[in-house]
Amino acid sequence: TFVGSLPDFLERKGVPLEKVNVPYVPALEKERLAREVLAMGPYSVTSSGSVNLEINDAEASKGDGLLHLCHILGIEPGRVAAFGDGDNDRSMLRFAGLGIAMGNAEPGLFRQADYVTGTNEEDGVAQAIEKLILSPER
């Protein structure tokens, strides 16, 4: 159910924004809807596929989650490898010391990556781990 104002809706319900998934968004509507949501407040809009939108609090991204995990575990970002294939992985690849895009990733994600590996069907994660992390030549 679409609402006129996401901030008003959340305030009326007395809940914080965790995540709103909007599935099956026509490609021609994605940019317009994303602009409208971003104009409503401190939100981020990403996508994990070509036909959906994911609306989160501006402070809630995979990159932020990885930052907090690194802080808890005492790990420097430069020692982190992250794998992704969708727009919602962009912040995580930027944060990690080694950002790896899957071969079947959305084309725009390749520019964010330090390395591009094989696709999911080709066991791309295993390929990258073997080549970039476990290889004795490294």
Side-chain angles (χ1 to χ4, degrees):
T1 302
F2 284 89
V3 297
S5 170
L6 185 56
D8 292 346
F9 174 80
L10 294 170
E11 187 176 325
R12 250 190 343 270
K13 295 290 185 179
V15 296
L17 177 67
E18 289 186 24
K19 181 179 211 97
V20 176
N21 264 327
V22 184
Y24 309 111
V25 178
L28 296 174
E29 293 293 310
K30 283 180 75 169
E31 280 190 45
R32 182 186 64 78
L33 284 174
R35 280 193 310 273
E36 287 184 22
V37 168
L38 291 172
M40 286 184 197
Y43 307 121
S44 70
V45 179
T46 62
S47 179
S48 61
S50 61
V51 295
N52 81 319
L53 286 178
E54 297 177 3
I55 304 164
N56 294 299
D57 183 277
E59 302 284 323
S61 70
K62 290 184 179 186
D64 291 325
L66 201 49
L67 167 72
H68 291 292
L69 182 61
C70 285
H71 179 73
I72 290 167
L73 297 175
I75 298 171
E76 294 295 318
R79 298 189 47 84
V80 173
F83 294 83
D85 63 0
D87 183 55
N88 62 347
D89 298 318
R90 198 174 295 275
S91 64
M92 182 175 59
L93 295 189
R94 278 195 308 260
F95 173 82
L98 180 60
I100 303 168
M102 301 302 293
N104 57 291
E106 294 179 15
L109 198 63
F110 295 138
R111 290 186 298 277
Q112 297 294 314
D114 300 306
Y115 181 79
V116 177
T117 189
T119 68
N120 295 349
E121 290 81 19
E122 298 168 335
D123 295 326
V125 171
Q127 288 177 17
I129 290 172
E130 288 171 357
K131 180 175 183 174
L132 302 173
I133 299 170
L134 300 177
S135 172
E137 292 115 36
R138 190 169 178 272

